[in-house]
C-alpha cells in the first residue's frame, strides 16, 4: 500500500480510509471529493464507511482547510473558524449589464429605512452566487465516460482555485476517474 510519507502526485488504488490513515495529520489544504452514491451504482465491491472517511478527512486537513463533498448539493465544510484561503474572483461570471450606468435603491438599513438611491457603473463580471451550472458535454475524454458517476471536469477546477492556496495540496479520497487529480495538475 502507500508509503507513510505524503506521496504527492500519487493515485492510490485501495480503500480510502486505509489509505488516508497512512498520511500525516494537518497535511492537506483542500479535499474535493464525491462519495459513492449509496447503493445506486456498482463500484466493483468497494464498501464505504462514510463516518470513518469524515474523521480521516478532518485529521488530514490543515486548520482552515476546506472539504467540498459532492452530493448534487455540494456542502462545504470548514475546519476551524475561517478559511485559510478564499479567492472567488476566478469563479466570477460576466455581468449581463456590463459597462452600463444604473441607478437603484440602496440596501434597507437595520432601522427599516432605505438610504438614498445610488448610481454606479456595472462591472464586467459579477459573483456567481450559490447555484453553479455544469455540463458534462464539455468533457472531451471518452475514457471518462467509462466511469458511472464522474465529476464534470470544471467542478474540481473551480473549487481548487477558490479554496486552495497556490502550491497547496489537494486530496480526493474517492478519486473515481481522476477528475480532481487532473484539475490539480492543470492548475
Ligand atoms: C461518485 S464516484 C467519484 C467520481 C469522481 N469524482 C470522478 O470525477 O470520476 C465514487 C468513487 O469512489 C470509489 N470508491 C468506492 N468505495 C471506495 C473506498 N472504500 N475507498 C476508495 N474509493 C472508493 C468508487 O469506485 C468510485 O469510483
Amino acid at each position: 500500500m502507500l508509503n507513510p510519507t505524503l506521496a504527492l502526485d500519487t493515485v492510490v488504488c485501495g480503500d480510502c480510509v486505509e489509505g488516508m490513515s497512512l498520511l500525516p495529520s494537518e497535511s492537506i489544504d483542500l479535499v474535493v471529493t464525491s462519495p459513492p452514491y449509496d447503493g445506486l451504482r456498482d463500484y466493483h465491491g468497494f464498501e464505504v464507511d462514510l463516518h470513518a472517511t469524515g474523521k480521516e478527512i478532518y485529521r488530514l486537513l490543515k486548520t482552515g482547510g476546506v472539504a467540498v463533498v459532492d452530493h448534487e448539493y455540494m456542502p462545504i465544510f470548514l475546519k476551524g473558524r475561517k478559511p485559510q484561503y478564499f479567492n472567488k474572483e476566478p469563479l466570477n461570471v460576466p455581468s449581463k449589464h456590463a459597462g452600463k450606468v444604473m441607478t437603484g435603491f440602496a440596501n434597507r438599513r437595520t432601522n427599516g429605512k432605505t438610504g438614498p438611491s445610488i448610481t454606479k457603473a456595472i462591472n464586467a463580471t459579477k459573483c456567481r452566487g450559490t447555484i453553479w451550472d455544469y455540463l458534462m458535454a464539455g468533457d472531451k475524454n471518452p475514457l471518462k465516460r467509462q466511469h458511472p458517476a464522474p465529476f464534470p471536469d470544471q467542478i474540481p477546477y473551480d473549487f481548487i482555485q477558490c479554496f486552495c492556496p497556490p502550491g497547496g495540496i489537494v486530496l480526493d479520497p474517492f478519486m473515481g476517474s481522476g477528475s480532481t487529480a487532473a484539475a490539480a495538475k492543470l492548475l
Side-chain angles (χ1 to χ4, degrees):
M1 202 4 158
L2 184 65
N3 183 311
T5 55
L6 183 59
L8 297 179
D9 293 350
T10 304
V11 176
V12 178
C13 190
D15 177 71
C16 67
V17 174
E18 200 183 318
M20 288 192 289
S21 73
L22 300 173
L23 300 176
S25 299
E26 302 264 339
S27 58
I28 301 292
D29 292 281
L30 172 68
V31 173
V32 182
T33 198
S34 166
Y37 289 42
D38 192 22
L40 294 182
R41 301 269 199 285
D42 177 14
Y43 292 118
H44 308 292
F46 269 111
E47 288 191 2
V48 179
D49 180 345
L50 274 183
H51 186 77
T53 303
K55 279 179 92 167
E56 274 305 285
I57 288 175
Y58 186 82
R59 183 182 66 78
L60 293 180
L61 275 180
K62 296 177 184 171
T63 298
V66 160
V68 180
V69 181
D70 171 23
H71 191 75
E72 303 304 323
Y73 286 101
M74 297 192 74
I76 298 175
F77 301 98
L78 168 67
K79 178 171 178 176
R81 296 181 70 84
K82 61 175 186 161
Q84 58 164 357
Y85 182 83
F86 180 55
N87 178 14
K88 61 187 167 74
E89 295 303 313
L91 304 182
N92 278 357
V93 291
S95 297
K96 190 170 168 194
H97 299 291
K100 290 185 191 164
V101 175
M102 293 186 149
T103 302
F105 293 115
N107 289 338
R108 193 175 289 268
R109 295 180 179 143
T110 46
N111 65 7
K113 298 200 170 128
T114 308
S117 61
I118 43 174
T119 299
K120 64 174 187 180
I122 306 298
N123 292 332
T125 61
K126 63 175 183 174
C127 177
R128 191 176 185 183
T130 56
I131 299 177
W132 300 2
D133 288 327
Y134 291 99
L135 285 176
M136 289 299 287
D139 295 351
K140 304 235 166 30
N141 189 341
L143 280 176
K144 216 177 136 136
R145 304 238 162 78
Q146 294 181 17
H147 190 278
F151 273 152
D153 286 346
Q154 193 69 31
I155 286 185
Y157 195 81
D158 286 348
F159 278 113
I160 291 169
Q161 288 183 94
C162 189
F163 288 119
C164 189
I169 297 171
V170 182
L171 170 74
D172 185 350
F174 299 110
M175 177 78 82
S177 66
S179 317
T180 302
K185 203 70 176 145
L186 258 177
L187 287 164

